[in-house]
């Protein structure tokens, strides 16, 4: 089973920044390296949504609402994925998860991001 360990969330004021980290703790390197990884988020009373993806070749894609503000990256040696979030807005408040694309059945605990003044 793949197990994702997310961290880095917190409470931040609008306009602030956070850097989320995710380690694919049980994903073997030969599987992680070519995998498309993603950050997802789930806001209260909303469905989980895909936020950003990064392919094995480091091609990135973002939903329109975060383009120019969020940057996804990966470190294959550490089997880790990161999400740099700048110019945060209250509507970015959510629990953030990482997973593969398509997502597997096993999800981590996620990390809470709260943007409020």
């Amino acid at each position: 089973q793949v197990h994702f360990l997310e961290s880095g969330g917190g409470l931040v004021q609008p306009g602030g920044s956070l850097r989320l980290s995710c380690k694919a703790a049980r994903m073997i390197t030969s599987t992680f390296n070519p995998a498309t990884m993603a950050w997802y988020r789930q806001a209260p009373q909303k469905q989980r949504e895909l936020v950003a993806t990064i392919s094995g070749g480091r091609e990135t894609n973002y939903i329109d609402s975060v383009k120019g503000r969020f940057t996804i990256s990966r470190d294959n040696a550490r089997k880790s994925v990161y999400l740099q979030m700048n110019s945060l807005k209250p509507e970015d408040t959510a629990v953030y998860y990482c997973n593969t694309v398509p997502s597997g059945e096993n999800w981590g605990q996620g990390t809470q991001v709260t943007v409020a003044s």
Side-chain angles (χ1 to χ4, degrees):
Q1 291 182 344
V2 178
H3 185 198
F4 302 102
L5 302 174
E6 301 95 347
S7 64
L11 172 63
V12 63
Q13 292 185 341
S17 298
L18 285 173
R19 184 174 186 256
L20 307 184
S21 299
C22 168
K23 186 171 180 62
R26 298 181 185 176
M27 205 167 175
I28 60 175
T29 300
S30 61
T31 300
F32 180 85
N33 288 359
T36 295
M37 300 298 298
W39 283 96
Y40 301 78
R41 69 184 179 187
Q42 186 167 18
Q45 300 180 333
K46 292 188 177 181
Q47 289 190 339
R48 186 176 290 158
E49 67 172 346
L50 180 66
V51 175
T53 65
I54 184 166
S55 71
R58 289 180 164 76
E59 180 179 347
T60 59
N61 284 285
Y62 304 89
I63 58 174
D64 286 346
S65 61
V66 307
K67 283 181 181 177
R69 300 189 298 120
F70 289 12
T71 302
I72 188 171
S73 60
R74 64 191 296 161
D75 183 339
N76 287 348
R78 290 181 169 82
K79 294 187 295 182
S80 293
V81 186
Y82 307 97
L83 188 67
Q84 178 66 44
M85 305 187 297
N86 299 327
S87 302
L88 282 161
K89 303 176 180 180
E91 51 263 43
D92 295 318
T93 295
V95 179
Y96 284 71
Y97 304 87
C98 70
N99 209 313
T100 54
V101 178
S103 61
E105 294 182 352
N106 297 305
W107 293 83
Q109 295 294 316
T111 186
Q112 175 70 50
V113 172
T114 302
V115 185
S117 53

